[in-house]
Amino acid sequence: MPTHTRPGLTARELAANTPADRDRYIDLLRVASLAVVVLGHWMMAAVTSDGAVGNLLAVVPALQAATWALQVMPVFFFVGGFAHALSYRSNPAYAGFVRGRVRRLLRPTALFAAVWGVLALAVQLAGGGDGLTGTALRLVTQPLWFIGVYLAMVAFTPPLLRLHRRWGWGAFAALAGGAAAVDVLRFALDVPYVEFLNFAFVWLAVHQLGFLRADGRLGAPVLLAGAGLAGAVALVAAGPYPLSMVGMPGEKVSNMAPPTLALLCHGVWLVGAVELLRGPGTRLAARARVWRAVVAANGVAMTAFLWHLTAMLGVYGALLALDVRLPAPASPAWWAWLPARVALAAAVTALLVLAFRWAERPVARPRPGGSAPLAAAGVTLSLLGVLGLSMTGYGGLLTGRTATLITVPVTAPQALALVLAGWLLVELRR
């Protein structure tokens, strides 16, 4: 999330006032990782002339190997661990730490959810919701899972930092061992529901690598990258882990949902890889123009991430409304038109950012005080609500459509109520 919190300053002023000791490469990684995720979503969308939305990786399975370089969400979580370690150590009060990060995450997220909720209700009251519109109502909230996981990282930062201070690499090893144990119970012993624990074990282990980076204890990046890559290759070769490091439609086993030990190895490989690029990346981020661009992008990164699928689906919807015949996915014509479609999606995303970026503007630092138990309960409710909304989408609002959140059915309005109730608890001072 954006780390510059001084209200009223422009990106140019923030860039000019950057402390000399700031690790600009970390900020560059934050922007670059989200940009790759957004670009990947735009490129993977395989929309046909009848409004069906497929996945390019399913159309061309050979391209699934590219996810070993382009599934970079672990890099974002690694960067989050680094930032959380520094931030919490500068002001080690649980309630204040949680409150500040929940505000930054939920202000743009709540705005996004509210706008789409109103649109979805209006469409369905008017009798719409079929074709590409119905698909959009279901798809636009799916990336919110990332917000839920990040909220979990915020909630667990203080206790995991304490474990890190005492055990160092041992804390990471414990989380990785938990991920391995979950996969054994899941695949070898068919224990039900245990796989959901890896949403915590896998992503918190990657987050823990950020703590190690903050203390300069990652060690040799070439060994880290090599070990992670070798582990991922071995696990995929032996099975039952699939080749793709992103979720695929209809697959029985996904490396992403829930995460697997193979995805954790993939994350370790990526962390080692970006650390190998630390030297040239640091020099690049030190350039004045590059740094201004990084600062500006960090200030709207969450807004762009939240709205990028809306932009993409809007572009395809406009093309279909104009009776433009879309080429078959992965055909030569499809590849030829891909740059134009991506450019259009980027342009619409920029317009949406201009409209909604105010929700991401820095606000005054939260006042101190508050209850740690209330903050912990609040962030838990919020993350469960965000995850629930990512699963239900906005289709079927009038029919009470539900999705199963772990073991509990939840509707979109119920998920939104959880988000807001949790946010309220976090804000309470007494």
Side-chain angles (χ1 to χ4, degrees), residues 191-239:
V191 177
Y193 302 118
V194 70
E195 64 267 24
F196 294 107
L197 291 174
N198 266 355
F199 278 109
F201 284 133
V202 169
W203 292 128
L204 289 177
V206 175
H207 190 248
Q208 203 80 8
L209 292 175
F211 295 169
L212 291 161
R213 168 66 156 76
D215 288 347
R217 299 175 61 184
L218 269 184
V222 65
L223 295 179
L224 199 64
L229 186 58
V233 169
L235 289 170
V236 170

Side-chain angles (χ1 to χ4, degrees), residues 6-415:
R6 295 174 61 186
L9 295 182
T10 66
R12 181 179 292 273
E13 291 169 331
L14 286 169
N17 294 330
T18 301
D21 61 349
R22 185 179 183 88
D23 194 331
R24 301 185 183 198
Y25 182 51
I26 285 291
D27 293 281
L28 176 61
L29 286 179
R30 179 187 293 110
V31 170
S33 58
L34 275 187
V36 170
V37 170
V38 168
L39 183 61
H41 287 167
W42 288 341
M43 294 181 65
M44 285 192 301
V47 182
T48 59
S49 291
D50 60 358
V53 181
N55 190 319
L56 179 66
L57 300 180
V59 179
V60 188
L63 292 177
Q64 294 177 23
T67 63
W68 287 52
L70 299 178
Q71 165 50 301
V72 295
M73 197 58 84
V75 175
F76 191 93
F77 292 148
F78 161 70
V79 168
F82 176 91
H84 290 161
L86 297 186
S87 178
Y88 185 73
R89 286 168 177 171
S90 68
N91 186 20
Y94 185 88
F97 172 78
V98 168
R99 189 180 302 124
R101 271 136 197 85
V102 165
R103 282 182 181 179
R104 293 183 193 175
L105 286 164
L106 291 189
R107 286 178 75 227
T109 302
L111 175 62
F112 168 83
V115 171
W116 259 106
V118 171
L119 289 174
L121 186 60
V123 165
Q124 291 169 71
L125 285 173
D130 297 326
L132 185 60
T133 301
T135 302
L137 295 178
R138 176 174 53 85
L139 287 183
V140 291
T141 64
Q142 284 188 1
L144 295 183
W145 72 266
F146 151 77
I147 309 291
V149 170
Y150 205 85
L151 285 168
M153 293 174 175
V154 168
F156 280 103
T157 286
L160 288 179
L161 262 178
R162 288 193 289 272
L163 292 177
H164 165 73
R165 283 196 296 268
R166 181 168 184 178
W167 301 108
W169 272 99
F172 168 81
L175 290 167
V182 164
D183 276 10
V184 170
L185 294 173
R186 175 187 179 185
F187 295 122
L189 302 178
D190 291 324
V191 177
Y193 302 118
V194 70
E195 64 267 24
F196 294 107
L197 291 174
N198 266 355
F199 278 109
F201 284 133
V202 169
W203 292 128
L204 289 177
V206 175
H207 190 248
Q208 203 80 8
L209 292 175
F211 295 169
L212 291 161
R213 168 66 156 76
D215 288 347
R217 299 175 61 184
L218 269 184
V222 65
L223 295 179
L224 199 64
L229 186 58
V233 169
L235 289 170
V236 170
Y241 305 96
L243 174 65
S244 175
M245 290 298 165
V246 300
M248 297 296 299
E251 62 185 355
K252 293 182 179 180
V253 176
S254 168
N255 281 320
M256 272 289 292
T260 64
L261 183 61
L263 185 64
L264 175 55
C265 290
H266 171 70
V268 172
W269 130 251
L270 284 180
V271 169
V274 297
E275 283 296 285
L276 283 171
L277 297 173
R278 184 174 177 178
T282 299
R283 291 189 292 273
L284 177 64
R287 297 179 181 177
R289 289 184 179 179
V290 173
W291 180 238
R292 284 197 298 271
V294 169
V295 171
N298 264 318
V300 297
M302 184 52 54
T303 301
F305 177 79
L306 287 167
W307 291 97
H308 77 280
L309 282 187
T310 302
M312 179 198 74
L313 292 168
V315 167
Y316 279 110
L319 292 174
L320 293 176
L322 294 171
D323 290 327
V324 175
R325 184 165 183 80
L326 301 178
S331 67
W334 188 92
W335 287 109
W337 280 100
L338 178 61
R341 293 195 301 273
V342 168
L344 286 171
V348 176
T349 300
L351 293 175
L352 291 169
V353 166
L354 286 174
F356 299 117
R357 64 181 179 180
W358 57 268
E360 206 169 349
R361 287 173 184 161
V363 295
R365 185 182 295 274
R367 289 177 294 163
S371 164
L374 280 180
V379 72
T380 301
L381 288 179
S382 290
L383 73 89
L384 288 174
V386 170
L387 290 175
L389 187 58
S390 76
M391 298 170 66
T392 61
Y394 278 118
L397 280 179
L398 301 180
T399 58
R401 180 180 181 274
T402 65
T404 302
L405 180 60
I406 305 179
T407 60
V408 180
V410 62
T411 65
Q414 289 169 343

